[in-house]
Amino acid sequence: MTASNTSQSTSADLHFKSITFTGLNAGPRLIITGAVHGNETCGTQAIHRVLDDIEQKRINIVAGTVTFVPVTNPLAYARLDRAGDRNLNRNLYPVAQPADFEDHIANWLCPLLARHEVLLDLHSTRAQNPAFAMLGPENNTGALEPFVHFEKERALAKRLGVHRFVDGWLSTYAKGVERRVGQKGSTA
């Protein structure tokens, strides 16, 4: 292990961190991520509060597994910027030859995500709006976004105090990508 303590972080100075708790009983495998965008720090703060509650025994994990990733993009977080080298949310899949810092994140994070059934990805905004949740689709077996936890996901968001929901965002995003790719192809 090599450690460094610098005030100006570069990608070489950074590491990835996840914390996992497993109850004695079987249950779902949940992963909670914060700071996918480095300037969205509310999720990191919330995760640290929950971790403290677990450590102080105010919360006990009795069933299943929960994994916390307080800072998903440490380079963007160190810079307090939306992205490190690029926007992680727009391109997340493992690659054989990482070209930027977010590729290294993907190579670490994607296998971690694959070991879980439920994702709570915490984001924030600078707008003075109430909290909202971007939810997965209704249960389906489609190719774009197969999903089987619609009711549980919405119930979890409501339990967290969220009352505004964004539905259908992934299919809308996929249509936009398809349109932009088509536009690039027609100008070539």
Side-chain angles (χ1 to χ4, degrees), residues 92-162:
L92 179 66
Y93 58 88
V95 296
Q97 298 296 320
D100 55 37
F101 189 71
E102 281 73 10
D103 285 347
H104 289 284
I105 296 170
N107 286 349
W108 168 73
L109 184 62
C110 287
L112 185 61
L113 291 171
R115 292 192 299 267
H116 293 81
E117 300 167 297
V118 181
L119 165 65
L120 177 58
D121 185 18
L122 301 173
H123 288 262
S124 56
T125 176
R126 288 178 244 176
Q128 297 299 314
N129 295 323
F132 66 93
M134 296 179 78
L135 300 179
E138 293 187 13
N139 294 342
N140 74 89
T141 57
L144 175 62
E145 192 179 14
F147 197 68
V148 296
H149 298 289
F150 177 78
E151 293 84 9
K152 290 178 183 178
E153 184 182 58
R154 189 169 291 264
L156 173 62
K158 285 181 178 179
R159 177 116 190 231
L160 294 172
V162 177

Side-chain angles (χ1 to χ4, degrees), residues 33-46 70 77 80-82 89 121-134:
T33 59
V36 165
H37 300 120
N39 61 347
E40 297 179 9
T41 60
C42 292
T44 301
Q45 294 168 20
Y77 188 78
L80 290 176
D81 201 359
R82 182 168 177 80
N89 256 8
D121 185 18
L122 301 173
H123 288 262
S124 56
T125 176
R126 288 178 244 176
Q128 297 299 314
N129 295 323
F132 66 93
M134 296 179 78

Side-chain angles (χ1 to χ4, degrees), residues 9-183:
S9 292
T10 66
S11 59
D13 300 323
L14 302 170
H15 60 275
F16 304 118
K17 178 180 181 180
S18 64
I19 302 103
T20 300
F21 297 90
T22 302
L24 294 177
N25 300 300
R29 296 179 310 277
L30 166 67
I31 184 167
I32 303 173
T33 59
V36 165
H37 300 120
N39 61 347
E40 297 179 9
T41 60
C42 292
T44 301
Q45 294 168 20
I47 288 171
H48 285 149
R49 282 197 310 266
V50 172
L51 289 171
D52 184 61
D53 284 345
I54 293 170
E55 292 296 333
Q56 298 301 319
K57 304 202 183 318
R58 292 185 292 266
I59 294 175
N60 184 26
I61 308 301
V62 297
T65 298
V66 60
T67 298
F68 298 94
V69 180
V71 178
T72 304
N73 190 334
L75 181 59
Y77 188 78
R79 294 176 178 172
L80 290 176
D81 201 359
R82 182 168 177 80
D85 293 330
R86 63 173 169 79
N87 188 344
L88 181 63
N89 256 8
R90 301 299 180 257
N91 186 359
L92 179 66
Y93 58 88
V95 296
Q97 298 296 320
D100 55 37
F101 189 71
E102 281 73 10
D103 285 347
H104 289 284
I105 296 170
N107 286 349
W108 168 73
L109 184 62
C110 287
L112 185 61
L113 291 171
R115 292 192 299 267
H116 293 81
E117 300 167 297
V118 181
L119 165 65
L120 177 58
D121 185 18
L122 301 173
H123 288 262
S124 56
T125 176
R126 288 178 244 176
Q128 297 299 314
N129 295 323
F132 66 93
M134 296 179 78
L135 300 179
E138 293 187 13
N139 294 342
N140 74 89
T141 57
L144 175 62
E145 192 179 14
F147 197 68
V148 296
H149 298 289
F150 177 78
E151 293 84 9
K152 290 178 183 178
E153 184 182 58
R154 189 169 291 264
L156 173 62
K158 285 181 178 179
R159 177 116 190 231
L160 294 172
V162 177
H163 303 287
R164 294 179 65 207
F165 305 102
V166 177
D167 294 299
W169 63 274
L170 185 59
S171 59
T172 301
Y173 178 74
K175 289 175 187 172
V177 168
E178 190 175 300
R179 186 180 68 249
R180 286 188 296 277
V181 167
Q183 289 171 347

